[in-house]
Amino acid sequence: MMGVTEVEIVVAHQERATLRVGEVFLKVDADPARTNVEMAAMALAPVPTPRVLWHNRLVLALAALPGSALGRLGQLSTASPRAWTAAGAALRQLHDAPLPPWPGRELEEIETNLDRQCHWLLDNDVLPVDLISRNHEIARVALREWTPAFIHGDLQSNHVFVDGDVVTGVIDWSEAAPGDALFDVATLTFGHEEHLTDVLTGYDSSVDLAVIRGWWSFRSLSAIQWLVEHGFDPFAPGCEVDVLKAQK
């Protein structure tokens, strides 16, 4: 009898699902435009990405990357400081690359979304008023004009894979676009503030820390409704609500 390959559900919700079948990841997305962006971004990015095995309108098959995720939200990272520094260096390579030929989000759209999410949090009594207000003000620091860079757009630490101190690849490129480079830096270190210095060592650039903190507040405030509605828990230790509470 032939052996059966175990199927692991990596993530699943109404918009998309990712399955691991042996050494292959199958990404099923209800919006084919996101799959198209992901493939185009991986082809342009000057950093390691998963190898595309095949795709059709809704399904993208990718080879598994060697190594393990740099970190996970709500958990202490077991990766070395040098691995975080390597991730910062890879991010600098990406941001120095030519812009992808599709538009990014406009600042006005981002501001409107933040205001809308804060109103939802208030209207539904999700968080205390003072916590929302304080973080709304912190987030607004990030909402300034910036020089567009090629950004990943969702560079969570679990989207960066490392083997020892070497970055073996970056996954999940469907949000890639021209945008604020510091948004990527903030997303990578979100919930892992202790590794911000390591990342900036590799990134090799002067960074406004108030903007990084602004994007941390923005990401938390703007994500909570989606997380709640899709069955995730932003109140889990070390996750979005804890990030908001830690902001000063």
Side-chain angles (χ1 to χ4, degrees), residues 2 29 37 50 74 168 187:
M2 295 180 63
D29 200 313
V37 168
T168 58
T187 305

Side-chain angles (χ1 to χ4, degrees), residues 6-10 18-26 64-65:
E6 182 178 350
V7 177
E8 174 190 358
I9 300 175
V10 179
T18 300
L19 309 176
R20 180 167 185 163
V21 184
E23 292 303 303
V24 176
F25 283 90
L26 298 176
L65 290 169

Side-chain angles (χ1 to χ4, degrees), residues 1 5 19 34 38-39 42 48 60 68 76 101 112-113 119 123 146 149 156-157 168 190 202 211 242:
M1 180 177 177
T5 300
L19 309 176
R34 284 194 292 254
E38 180 157 12
M39 292 187 60
M42 288 192 295
L60 177 61
S68 57
L76 287 175
T112 300
N113 179 60
H119 283 303
D123 293 344
W146 56 73
Q156 304 172 56
S157 59
T168 58
F190 183 81
V211 173
D242 277 357

